Every structure is written in C-alpha cells, then in structure tokens.
C-alpha cells in the first residue's frame, strides 16, 4: 500500500481545514473565541505536520497552542474571579495579575488632586495618606477604581506616601482593553463598580443617619 | 443597497486613520474656553490654546483648559492672579526641548523671514535621551549613568539654511508625536501638577503667599545645565519651605517673605550651597519663632 499517496491527501485536507480555521480566527471580534479558534488552528496544523514529518511546523504550532491555551485560561480565570467578586466581598484582587509593581519613597506624591486619573492603584505595603482629608489608606485598599467610569476622570484628592512601600498599578487603558476584548468581563466589571458605588452610598447614608440620631432635634433645620 | 459610494472611498480614510493611530496623531477636537473664565484670563487662555495646539496638538490644549477650569469660580483668587497662573502654566507646558527648538526654527523659516542664522544650543545627553519613551529611556539613562556620561554636553545646531537642513528640522519636529510618552513629559507633567497643588494648598492655608507661590514658576526655565539647576532650586524651596509650611510641619507665618528671601539666594552655584544655607536659616528662625509662641 502506498502510504505517501495517503499522506499527501491527509496533508491537502489538513491544509484546507487549517485555512478555514485561520480565516475563522481572524474574523473573531472578541478574545475568548479568538483564542479557541487559534488553538483549533494550531491543532489542525500540528496534525497536518505529522504525515510530512515537518518537525519545525509541529514545534511552532505546539508552542502557539500552549500560549493560546495559557492566555485563554487567564481570560476565563479573570471572568470567573470578577463574577465571584460581584457575588461576595466586592474585592478587586482579581486585577493583581494585570498590575505592575511600583516602589514608593516616603514623601513621594502618587497623584495630585484634580489631576487627570489614568491608573488604578492597589496598596501592598507602606503608609499612604490622602493629603486634603488626612485619611490614611489601609493595606489592600484600591484607589481610583471609580475614576475610570467617572465623566470627569479627575482625582478628588492627592495621595502621598508617608512611609516607603509598594503599590501595584494598572492603567485605565489596560482595563479598557480587557473590557473590550472580553464583553463578559466588561459586564461583570460594570456590575462590580456599580455595587462598590452603591456600597459607598450605603455607608454615607448610614453615617448621615448616625449623625442625625446623635444631633439634638433643634440642630436639624425644620425641626426646631 | 447603496451604489452611490464606492467601497474604496470609505477604505482610504480608514487606512489613513489606522496609520494616524499607529503614528500617534492627535485627533482631539480643538478645546473651547470654558464659561465663567474672567476676561483678562480669557485673552491669555485663547493665546495659550493656540500655542499648545501648535506645540503638541488639540488634546494637549484640552489638558491646559482642564487645568484652568480648576480655578473657575473660586472666590479666593482674583482675575489678575488667575491670568498670571494661566500665563505661567502655558510657559511651563510648552517647555523647551530639542523638538520645540526644531519646531520654532522651522516656523521661523516657513514664515518667510529669510534664512535666519543657525541656532546653536548646548544641551545635555540625559536631556536628549529623556525625549525617548520611558521604556527605552530608562535603560539608556541607566547605562549612561553607569558610564558617567549622563551630564555630557551635546551641542545641537538648528539650521534652516538649506533644503536638506529644513528637511532635518522637519524630521526632528515630527518627533512631537511621541512627546507625551517621553520621560521628559512625565517629569514636566508632575512639575505642573505639583506647582498647581502648592497653589491650591496655599490658597487654603496661606492665602497671603499665593502670589509668591505662583511666581515661583518663573524660576524654572532654559535648557541644558541651566534648566537642571533651576529645577533643583525650585524643588529645594518647595521641599524645605513651602510643603513643610503647608503641611504644618514648619511654622512660617510669612511664607511669602521666606520664599522671596530664598529666591534671592538662588545663584549659579551648581551645589546650591548658598540656597541651602539661606533655607536652613529661615527654618531655624521659624522653629525659634514657634518655640517662643505660648
């Protein structure tokens, strides 16, 4: 039996199938299907390389298969984490893998009031103070998560490093890219940001209620 | 089905816009001056917006307008001071770098004033490298520092005397596309924000010193060694006098007087010894005054 003839047919069919998958990959609008189709293309091209004993082609697509798989896993993990966060503690820890570390020295200003906000910060170590209000931010605090969605995009206070430490930062542009690449992430990110906003409103209402309860009736306008 | 417009007609602007995006073109709208801007400020701001559009583009001019907007409606700032902030801010935002020097020389030649003599500027190597994007410049600066070449003087000639030289100026001026991603821009941006922050805080804590704080922007100017020295002097005064006073760490009731005294001590000494001595004296005096108070 002539195997070379069969291999040639397999190769032709494989190349045809791979071409279809390549075209399909490039037509994808969002990241997850793009990665899935990329992996399918790599798989078909790996199979096609076997009958031709093309080690280089097989090797290249094996590496690309793993890379696409890793990025797909990252995306799916991100969506899973954001979803989990929306349903539990509203934390933003899921952003950490996308953030870059930045060392801060005591006295350094991380940003100024009214400055155009472009990054979100996560406090890892050190001490940081909001200059205008004098409030010290705790470790693990996220700064500027709502600034991305606000129409003015401006910092409402200045942040100063009081004791040297480390912060993680991610630019709004990077988050926007994640948002556009992955609509499901975008949807849950919006829900999370809104939930955190409602949480802040709730806290403010509680404080107002507390203040109203402690203040004498005469001090409240209209009740005197 | 629309048969009136050929598909290629829509394709060309699309390709152009892709290239513009890749090359970093500024396609922002020309900013409108905000309502509520007093007349003296409006005049300064209108000129400043034109200058910044020429310097960088409409997006950069928008940043200027956004910064001005912070002072609109503030009762603690009069029109003259607001106009002065607007004037000094545009000077600092349109800072002198090699790109600007090429832009100005080119504009001079294109205005048809004849071939002007060459402009020869003495810059520093770190000043030139800082025009590169941060990711590249950081590595280059580290290497230059290791080799001890960071402050090496570089003479640059800006000439529009021939067609070839004008072409060179055009290429140099075209680097403005990447100006906003440069290390130099990051430094200048922080500087302007810090200056505005000091103005904002002195408006609240030491209103009598605001005019003097605003005027400190005049200290930072020039290029090469002169620019680096003036920046160091300004930072020294802010770090050791203005900021501690506004933080409440230093009791200096006459901050304006203290700044004026310190500015008078600014000299061409690169080691800043005179300025440091004067600031130390002012701080001692302030501490002694605070100790005397009940």
């Amino acid at each position: 039996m002539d195997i070379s003839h069969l291999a040639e047919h397999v190769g032709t069919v494989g190349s045809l199938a791979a071409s279809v998958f390549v075209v399909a990959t490039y037509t994808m609008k969002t990241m997850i299907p793009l990665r899935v189709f990329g992996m399918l293309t790599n798989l078909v091209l790996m199979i096609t390389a076997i009958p031709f004993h093309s080690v280089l082609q097989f090797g290249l697509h094996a590496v690309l298969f793993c890379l696409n798989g890793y990025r797909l896993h990252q995306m799916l993990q991100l969506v899973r984490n954001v979803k989990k966060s929306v349903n539990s503690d509203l934390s933003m820890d899921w952003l950490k893998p996308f953030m870059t570390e930045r060392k801060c020295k005591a006295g350094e200003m991380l940003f100024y009031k009214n400055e155009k906000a472009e990054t979100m910060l996560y406090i890892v170590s050190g001490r940081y103070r909001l200059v205008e209000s004098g409030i010290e931010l705790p470790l693990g605090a996220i700064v500027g998560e709502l600034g991305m969605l606000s129409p003015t995009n401006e910092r409402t206070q200045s942040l100063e490093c009081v004791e040297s430490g480390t912060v993680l930062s991610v630019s709004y542009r990077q988050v926007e890219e994640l948002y556009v690449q992955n609509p499901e992430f975008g949807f849950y990110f919006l829900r999370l940001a809104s939930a955190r906003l409602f949480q802040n409103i709730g806290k403010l209402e509680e404080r107002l209620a507390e203040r109203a309860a402690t203040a004498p009736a005469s001090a409240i306008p209209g009740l005197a | 089905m629309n048969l009136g417009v050929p598909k290629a007609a829509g394709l060309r602007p699309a390709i152009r816009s892709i290239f513009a995006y890749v090359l970093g073109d500024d396609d922002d709208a020309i900013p409108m001056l905000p309502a509520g801007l007093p007349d003296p400020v409006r005049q300064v701001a209108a000129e400043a917006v034109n200058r910044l559009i020429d310097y960088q583009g409409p997006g950069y001019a928008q940043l200027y307008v956004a910064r001005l907007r912070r002072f609109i409606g503030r009762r603690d700032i009069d029109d003259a001071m607001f106009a002065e902030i607007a004037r000094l801010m545009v000077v600092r935002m349109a800072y002198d770098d090699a790109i600007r020097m090429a832009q100005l020389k080119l504009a001079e030649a294109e205005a048809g004033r004849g071939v002007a003599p060459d402009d020869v500027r003495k810059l520093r190597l770190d000043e030139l490298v800082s025009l590169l994007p941060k990711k590249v410049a950081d590595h280059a600066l580290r290497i230059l520092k290791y080799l001890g070449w960071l402050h090496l003087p570089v003479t640059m000639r800006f000439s529009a005397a021939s067609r070839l030289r004008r072409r060179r100026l055009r290429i140099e001026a075209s680097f403005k596309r990447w100006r906003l991603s440069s290390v130099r821009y990051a430094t200048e941006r922080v500087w302007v924000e810090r200056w505005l922050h000091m103005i904002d805080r002195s408006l609240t804590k030491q209103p009598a010193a605001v005019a003097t704080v605003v005027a400190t922007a005049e200290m930072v100017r020039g290029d090469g060694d002169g620019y680096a020295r003036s920046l160091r002097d300004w930072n020294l005064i802010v770090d050791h006098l203005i900021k501690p006073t506004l933080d409440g760490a230093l009791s200096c009731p006459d901050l304006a007087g203290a700044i004026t005294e310190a500015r008078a001590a600014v000299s061409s000494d690169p080691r800043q010894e005179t300025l440091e001595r004067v600031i130390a004296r002012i701080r001692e005096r302030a501490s002694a005054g605070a100790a005397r108070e009940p």
Side-chain angles (χ1 to χ4, degrees):
Chain A
M1 193 182 161
D2 186 8
I3 300 179
S4 65
H5 194 66
L6 190 70
E8 203 177 302
H9 281 302
V10 170
T12 312
V13 172
S15 301
L16 205 72
S19 306
V20 172
F21 277 118
V22 169
V23 172
T25 307
Y26 282 106
T27 56
M28 294 302 136
K29 284 180 182 167
T30 51
M31 201 47 83
I32 291 177
L34 190 136
R35 293 286 176 196
V36 170
F37 272 83
M39 284 173 77
L40 286 172
T41 312
N42 298 142
L43 205 64
V44 173
L45 285 168
M46 275 159 70
I47 295 166
T48 317
I50 297 170
F52 292 115
H53 306 290
S54 176
V55 182
L56 202 69
Q57 185 184 332
F58 186 88
L60 171 71
H61 286 283
V63 171
L64 290 177
F65 182 81
C66 296
L67 190 69
N68 271 325
Y70 176 67
R71 292 286 181 222
L72 179 66
H73 163 77
Q74 266 189 326
M75 271 293 162
L76 293 173
Q77 190 68 32
L78 176 71
V79 175
R80 211 170 297 142
N81 288 343
V82 181
K83 253 189 219 177
K84 208 168 102 185
S85 192
V86 170
N87 299 320
S88 58
D89 57 352
L90 304 183
S91 90
M92 302 278 272
D93 287 5
W94 46 269
L95 252 181
K96 275 187 189 172
F98 299 89
M99 294 175 131
T100 45
E101 200 178 279
R102 178 177 157 189
K103 302 268 179 216
C104 297
K105 285 183 207 151
E108 187 183 331
M109 296 296 292
L110 280 89
F111 54 77
Y112 293 97
K113 184 184 167 189
N114 294 125
E115 191 182 346
K116 196 170 176 244
E118 282 171 354
T119 52
M120 220 182 271
L121 301 170
Y122 183 93
I123 293 171
V124 179
S125 63
R127 281 172 58 214
Y128 303 84
R129 187 173 58 99
L130 291 166
V131 177
E132 285 77 13
S133 61
I135 295 170
E136 210 167 289
L137 296 175
L139 296 183
I142 278 270
V143 188
E145 82 278 21
L146 294 173
M148 197 183 115
L149 302 171
S150 83
T152 51
N153 243 209
E154 282 177 2
R155 302 283 188 201
T156 50
Q157 294 204 51
S158 313
L159 185 65
E160 185 182 9
C161 175
V162 183
E163 199 180 285
S164 301
T166 308
V167 294
L168 296 176
S169 76
V170 62
S171 69
Y172 288 165
R173 201 191 167 117
Q174 279 171 279
V175 182
E176 276 167 23
E177 276 170 12
L178 289 173
Y179 190 110
V180 175
Q181 287 169 4
N182 193 340
E184 199 179 359
F185 161 80
F187 173 72
Y188 283 105
F189 176 75
L190 270 186
R191 282 188 66 174
L192 179 65
S194 315
R196 284 173 74 94
L197 189 64
F198 281 119
Q199 192 185 43
N200 286 351
I201 294 171
K203 276 182 196 167
L204 278 174
E205 280 175 349
E206 263 173 43
R207 270 193 213 170
L208 269 175
E210 271 171 32
R211 195 174 286 181
T214 50
S218 59
I220 303 170
L223 290 179
Chain B
M1 195 175 157
N2 182 10
L3 296 171
V5 184
K7 279 193 175 173
L11 200 66
R12 217 169 296 134
I15 292 170
R16 210 174 291 139
S17 97
I18 290 170
F19 273 108
Y21 177 79
V22 172
L23 291 173
D25 267 358
D26 184 350
D27 57 354
D28 285 302
I30 292 172
M32 302 288 290
L33 290 182
L37 213 57
D39 281 337
V41 185
R42 190 165 281 276
Q43 283 170 10
V44 179
E47 275 172 34
V49 165
N50 289 333
R51 186 168 165 184
L52 291 173
I53 289 173
D54 172 55
Y55 181 82
Q56 184 59 41
Y60 196 50
Q62 269 178 8
L63 176 65
Y64 173 81
V65 172
R67 282 171 171 166
L68 272 190
R69 209 173 275 133
R70 298 177 196 178
F71 297 97
I72 294 177
R74 285 191 73 146
R75 268 177 276 170
D76 46 7
I77 199 156
D78 61 38
D79 292 358
M81 200 185 294
F82 195 176
E84 187 65 355
I85 292 172
R87 185 185 71 80
L88 290 171
M89 187 155 66
V90 70
V91 173
R92 286 312 314 145
M93 282 180 75
Y95 55 87
D96 267 347
D97 56 9
I99 304 169
R100 183 62 176 160
M101 290 164 197
Q103 280 179 311
L104 289 174
K105 196 72 198 165
L106 200 62
E108 208 176 90
E110 281 169 359
R113 287 177 221 149
V115 182
D118 299 356
D119 279 352
V120 180
R121 302 285 192 114
K122 282 210 181 324
L123 306 176
R124 290 187 355 177
L125 196 53
D126 59 337
E127 200 178 353
L128 282 180
V129 174
S130 68
L131 293 178
L132 297 170
K134 193 173 162 33
K135 277 181 188 166
V136 185
D138 279 350
H139 296 295
L141 288 171
R142 215 171 296 133
I143 293 167
L144 288 177
K145 194 176 178 186
Y146 176 76
L147 295 171
W149 294 351
L150 209 56
H151 302 155
L152 221 62
V154 180
T155 307
M156 280 194 80
R157 188 179 294 272
F158 296 93
S159 168
S162 67
R163 223 171 123 183
L164 206 67
R165 286 179 177 172
R166 276 197 294 277
R167 167 68 55 196
R168 187 187 141 178
L169 284 179
R170 236 170 250 128
I171 293 170
E172 284 166 351
S174 72
F175 286 126
K176 80 168 188 179
R177 292 168 191 281
W178 295 286
R179 189 188 257 141
L180 299 190
S181 56
S182 68
V183 172
R184 175 75 190 268
Y185 172 69
T187 316
E188 293 290 341
R189 178 187 156 156
V190 169
W191 188 93
V192 173
E193 287 299 340
R194 191 170 198 211
W195 174 63
L196 291 173
H197 177 68
M198 290 303 151
I199 296 171
D200 182 53
R201 293 194 70 200
S202 52
L203 276 168
T204 323
K205 303 245 168 126
Q206 283 245 6
V210 178
T212 323
V213 174
V214 169
T216 58
E218 284 174 337
M219 287 176 69
V220 185
R221 59 175 65 197
D223 45 62
D225 282 332
Y227 165 77
R229 197 168 46 238
S230 66
L231 197 63
R232 276 203 308 273
D233 289 339
W234 186 85
N235 278 323
L236 200 68
I237 292 177
V238 171
D239 288 341
H240 295 92
L241 272 184
I242 305 178
K243 187 173 182 290
T245 306
L246 300 177
D247 281 347
L250 183 72
S251 169
C252 187
D254 181 20
L255 180 61
I259 296 169
T260 311
E261 192 181 336
R263 279 190 66 179
V266 169
S267 64
S268 55
D269 170 24
R271 283 179 297 175
Q272 299 174 299
E273 280 173 356
T274 319
L275 181 60
E276 277 175 8
R277 217 170 28 243
V278 169
I279 289 177
R281 209 166 52 219
I282 295 169
R283 287 179 65 97
E284 264 172 40
R285 222 162 48 216
S287 305
R292 270 199 305 274
E293 277 173 19

